[in-house]
Amino acid sequence: MAQRDREDPHRPSRRRGQGELESQVLGALREAQAPVTAAWVQERLGGDLAYTTVVTILTRLLAKDAVARERRGRSFVWRPTADVAGLAALKMRRLLDGESDREAVLASFVTALPPDDEQVLRALLETAHATDGVDATDGVDGVGGADGVPDGTED
């Protein structure tokens, strides 16, 4: 009798959260020292995941440019091209790209951030723009206009 059958048969099996399995597969790939097969990923994750489930997740990650594959013999080997944070960022960008009013979505996102996350975001923007020679605070809180010129002096 299977382990699940010995447990409460009326208790539903635990469902994974959205994206949890993708994160686990990506994490397993990042632990590998070289490109690996889907069977290796399946073994690494353990549990009762079907081989076809692992291949489906890998294929979805491939479509999201989070992994790459190359043919080796009659099968494929897989390697990560993004980490878990990169995958989350990709999902956020895709959601944003699907909206017609990007500014409204970003404004809603930023205003809902806790103060600590807002400070992290501001610091990241400042770092990113420092390499471009742009002050990330321009246009924020009335400090400057969208073109970087102090308010009231635009041409």
Side-chain angles (χ1 to χ4, degrees):
M1 193 178 251
Q3 176 67 25
R4 190 175 294 171
D5 294 340
R6 280 184 253 140
E7 296 174 1
D8 182 358
H10 298 95
R11 189 176 132 224
S13 61
R14 183 184 86 77
R15 298 235 349 134
R16 290 178 177 86
Q18 184 176 5
E20 183 179 346
L21 190 52
E22 286 182 349
S23 295
Q24 291 173 349
V25 167
L26 201 51
L29 288 174
R30 295 201 58 80
E31 291 175 8
Q33 300 300 314
V36 295
T37 64
W40 184 93
V41 173
Q42 178 191 23
E43 181 182 313
R44 187 71 171 184
L45 295 178
D48 57 353
L49 280 180
Y51 176 82
T52 53
T53 300
V54 174
V55 171
T56 298
I57 296 302
L58 286 166
T59 303
R60 288 180 182 167
L61 289 169
L62 180 67
K64 296 175 181 181
D65 295 323
V67 300
R69 73 178 181 189
E70 62 185 63
R71 186 165 291 282
R72 183 148 319 146
R74 291 180 14 196
S75 65
F76 291 102
V77 291
W78 304 81
R79 65 177 174 77
T81 58
D83 58 9
V84 175
L87 182 59
L90 178 63
K91 288 178 186 177
M92 291 167 63
R93 280 193 306 274
R94 288 206 171 139
L95 284 171
L96 185 59
D97 288 346
E99 297 297 323
S100 58
D101 191 349
R102 294 173 69 93
E103 185 175 344
V105 173
L106 287 169
S108 180
F109 175 75
V110 170
T111 58
L113 287 175
D116 289 346
D117 288 347
E118 184 179 340
Q119 289 176 346
V120 169
L121 183 57
R122 284 182 185 274
L124 290 170
L125 287 170
E126 287 173 10
T127 301
H129 290 297
T131 59
D132 295 337
V134 175
D135 182 357
T137 60
D138 284 349
V140 178
D141 297 328
V143 172
D147 60 357
V149 178
D151 288 4
T153 61
E154 293 101 336
D155 290 323

